[in-house]
Amino acid sequence: MKLVLQGPSLEPTLIASLISGINVTNYHQPRQNVWHINGVPEDQYDIIASFANENKADFALINTSQKLSDYKLVAMDMDSTFIQIECIDEIADYCGVKEQVAAITAASMRGELDFNESLLQRVALLEGLEESALQAVYDERLKLSTGAEEMLQALQKANIKTLLVSGGFTFFTDRLKQKYHLDFTRANELEIVDGKLTGRIIGEIVNAEVKARTLIDCCNKSGISLTETIAIGDGANDLKMMALAGLSVAHHAKPKVKQHAKVAFDYSGMDGVLNLF
C-alpha cells in the first residue's frame, strides 16, 4: 500500500522528520505539498494520523498499483462539494428564512432527518419567492470549491466522464453542466408558476437511493463498471452512492460520511483526488 500525504504546510523538512521517525526509505514528492510513501508498517499508522492532524494534512492509503486511468467516471455531489455553498440556504436568505433553512440542511446532512421530509419542509418555506432570486444566487454567491476546476480539467483530459448528482436543484446543475461541460447531471426541479416558486418539487426527489441509482444508470449507459468509478460527497445523502463506487472520497464532510469513506479530505481541495495517483 502507498501512503499519500497532502496539505499546504507539508514542507520537505517536516516530511524528513516524519520519515526518520517511522523508518521508511521509499518515498517521493510527485507534486508540491504532496508526498507518496511506500512500505509504511501498520504499527506506524497512529503516528501518521497524529502527524497529519498536527500539520493540517490529509492522509490516505491507496493500492500502489492504482492509477487515475483505472477510473472512467467521477460522480460528485454539488452543494458544499463541487461548489462552496448550500444553494437552498442562500435562496432562503432572499425570503428571510436562511437561519431556519440552514439548520434543517445541516441536520439532514448529518443524517439526523429524513431527507425527503427535510427537503419538502425547506422548499415549502420558499413559497412566493421570485424566480429571479435563483439567478442572483447563481451569479453572486455560487463559487466552485477549491481545486474543482483543476480536477475537472484533468478528468476531461483523461477522457473520464463526470456526473453531478444533487439533492439540490436543476436550476444550478443545468447551468454548471453547460459551463463546465459535464457529462451527466441529476437534481430536483423546483416548481415555478408565473415567475414565482410554489414551494413544491416536481417529480421524484433526488435522495440517497436516487443518487445511487443515477450512478448505476450512468455506468450502464457508458459501459462502465461501478469499480471504475469515484464518488465524492459530504453528506449522509451521498453515502449509498459512495458505497457503490470503486473509490469513495469524503470532501470536508460530516463525521458519519468520513467514517464510511475510503478517503477523507479535511484540508485538501477537490484536486486532492488527482494527488492520490
Side-chain angles (χ1 to χ4, degrees), residues 75-244:
M76 305 166 285
D77 173 51
M78 180 176 69
D79 296 277
S80 297
T81 301
F82 185 63
I83 63 175
Q84 296 180 17
I85 63 170
E86 291 286 334
C87 289
I88 193 167
D89 297 354
E90 301 306 318
I91 297 167
D93 198 23
Y94 283 83
C95 48
V97 292
K98 181 176 181 178
E99 186 174 342
Q100 183 178 354
V101 167
I104 300 170
T105 299
S108 178
M109 287 178 64
R110 292 192 298 266
E112 298 170 359
L113 299 174
D114 176 79
F115 181 81
N116 287 22
E117 291 181 8
S118 71
L119 180 64
L120 293 173
Q121 184 181 356
R122 286 175 287 165
V123 171
L125 292 169
L126 308 178
E127 182 180 359
L129 185 66
E130 296 285 344
E131 182 183 6
S132 59
L134 304 180
Q135 190 66 48
V137 169
Y138 182 81
D139 292 338
E140 300 169 11
R141 304 191 182 190
L142 189 152
K143 295 181 180 179
L144 295 192
S145 292
T146 302
E149 193 160 6
E150 292 82 353
M151 182 192 71
L152 271 186
Q153 290 171 354
L155 296 178
Q156 290 165 348
K157 184 177 181 180
N159 294 317
I160 297 172
K161 294 185 180 297
T162 50
L163 162 64
L164 188 64
V165 57
S166 174
F169 307 118
T170 55
F171 184 93
F172 303 100
T173 57
D174 288 350
R175 284 158 176 76
L176 291 169
K177 180 180 183 180
Q178 182 176 9
K179 182 174 183 179
Y180 294 105
H181 310 292
L182 305 173
D183 294 288
F184 306 103
T185 59
R186 178 79 186 268
N188 299 298
E189 184 178 357
L190 289 166
E191 184 179 64
I192 299 171
V193 177
D194 296 330
K196 293 185 178 182
L197 277 65
T198 67
R200 294 187 293 270
I201 295 288
I202 297 174
E204 184 178 39
I205 290 176
V206 181
N207 55 24
E209 290 76 15
V210 174
K211 283 192 172 190
R213 191 170 74 235
T214 300
L215 176 60
I216 294 171
D217 290 345
C218 290
C219 285
N220 290 339
K221 290 176 183 176
S222 306
I224 294 169
S225 73
L226 287 168
T227 58
E228 296 175 308
T229 67
I230 299 172
I232 310 171
D234 72 310
N237 198 34
D238 301 310
L239 283 171
K240 291 190 176 182
M241 172 181 74
M242 292 169 66
L244 291 175

